[in-house]
Amino acid sequence: MTRVFSGIKPTGHLTLGNYLGAMRRWAAVDQHRADALFCVVDLHALTVDHDPARVRRLSRQAATLLLAAGVDPELCTVFVQSHVDEHARLSYVLECVATDGEMRRMIQYKEKAARERRRGGSVRLSLLTYPVLMAADILAYGTDEVPVGDDQAPHVELTRDLAVRFNQRYGHTFVVPRATHPAVAARVMNLQDPLSKMGKSDDVGPGIVYLLDEPDVVRKKVMRAVTDSGRDVVYDREERPGVANLLEILAACSGGDPKTLGDAYESYGTLKKDTAEAVVEVLRPLRERHKELCADPGYVEGVLRDGTERARAMARPVVDAAYRAIGLLPASGGGAGR
């Protein structure tokens, strides 16, 4: 059976982009067709300045929202990254295979490091090396497919390169994964800046729809969305990015085609109104289920505990094999590196 792995980072409140671009597909498609693992990748949240208590709160919230979105622990494995030691164990081994040049070419590091240098500061070393940890997240489970948005595709390519390189140098150890992309709304853009992704790390802003926003807040944000010059409703990502973003969101919520939907509208106002209502209705069951789960925290804790045990049982043999292959002496009476 195909194995799928994907993770979500608790660096901010989850957004409509997270849901339409990833979470909904995980629940509707991936957990039914594959042996799927969905992980709250909390170690990745430590690469930037953070409030420890907030990371813990957001990690729990992210796990709860995954379940509220329809991810079913009876069908897949849901867990928190830091609860499974094999992620960190494998990350260092892969750092011994990766190169400095590869890390410094990754776009997130280049952009953030340059921004910090302009401010007279410096980024954390973990920001440089976290793509290797991401590769460890994937390779530890013998993953075949990684469902990602367009912006994360380079990380999967790096993972593939590291897997191939390790296998060639030390013997076949890892499955070489491939990235998969949802057909519509793979990248939902900011409603106030349609050239930028709707990112959860932005924290505040009228251009970001959060999954737990009240319906009236959602409507207000969508109705205030930036459009484009001209009055015609035309789907054109290059020339009309604001309208294209609204049409893609509406299409993702309603199951339509962005271009066909654009032909049906004569005004921006009507498009915004219909898009706002479509978003409210898509998020309604998720918000209701989230409220139910928050009233039963023991259930969420149990899901994560069970998920940790299953994930560890899958990852440990792979990581132990990698330790042996690269030349580490097995600990007597236990796994490699213990």
Side-chain angles (χ1 to χ4, degrees), residues 286-305:
L286 181 146
R287 293 179 66 253
E288 292 174 353
R289 179 58 177 152
H290 178 266
K291 185 176 181 180
E292 294 173 356
L293 290 168
C294 286
D296 187 9
Y299 172 75
V300 178
E301 291 174 3
V303 167
L304 295 178
R305 184 170 55 249

Side-chain angles (χ1 to χ4, degrees), residues 5-134:
F5 177 95
S6 199
I8 201 151
K9 186 164 58 173
T11 51
H13 297 288
L14 299 185
T15 72
L16 179 66
N18 296 127
Y19 180 67
L20 294 181
M23 296 163 63
R24 185 172 65 170
R25 171 176 165 153
W26 298 351
V29 178
D30 292 325
Q31 68 177 349
H32 297 284
R33 69 176 182 83
D35 180 10
L37 299 99
F38 301 118
C39 180
V40 178
V41 287
D42 54 343
L43 294 175
H44 292 292
L46 310 185
T47 61
V48 295
D49 288 339
H50 62 276
D51 173 14
R54 185 170 186 267
V55 171
R56 284 191 289 269
R57 286 196 305 271
L58 290 174
S59 295
R60 178 179 291 276
Q61 184 184 87
T64 305
L65 282 169
L66 283 175
L67 299 176
V71 170
D72 185 349
E74 297 296 322
L75 298 175
C76 63
T77 302
V78 183
F79 66 106
V80 175
Q81 178 191 31
S82 64
H83 294 176
V84 180
D85 295 344
E86 278 63 32
H87 292 254
R89 289 179 62 208
L90 183 56
S91 183
Y92 180 75
V93 166
L94 293 178
E95 284 184 16
C96 298
V97 177
T99 68
D100 176 75
E102 285 175 316
M103 297 300 100
R104 295 185 187 280
R105 285 194 296 271
M106 300 303 287
I107 188 65
Q108 286 88 347
Y109 174 78
K110 289 173 65 175
E111 291 179 349
K112 292 181 179 180
R115 188 160 58 242
E116 285 302 314
R117 282 195 296 271
R118 289 194 295 270
R119 296 172 179 170
S122 181
V123 296
R124 299 183 180 193
L125 178 62
S126 56
L127 185 67
L128 177 66
T129 60
Y130 93 91
V132 178
L133 176 58
M134 186 179 292

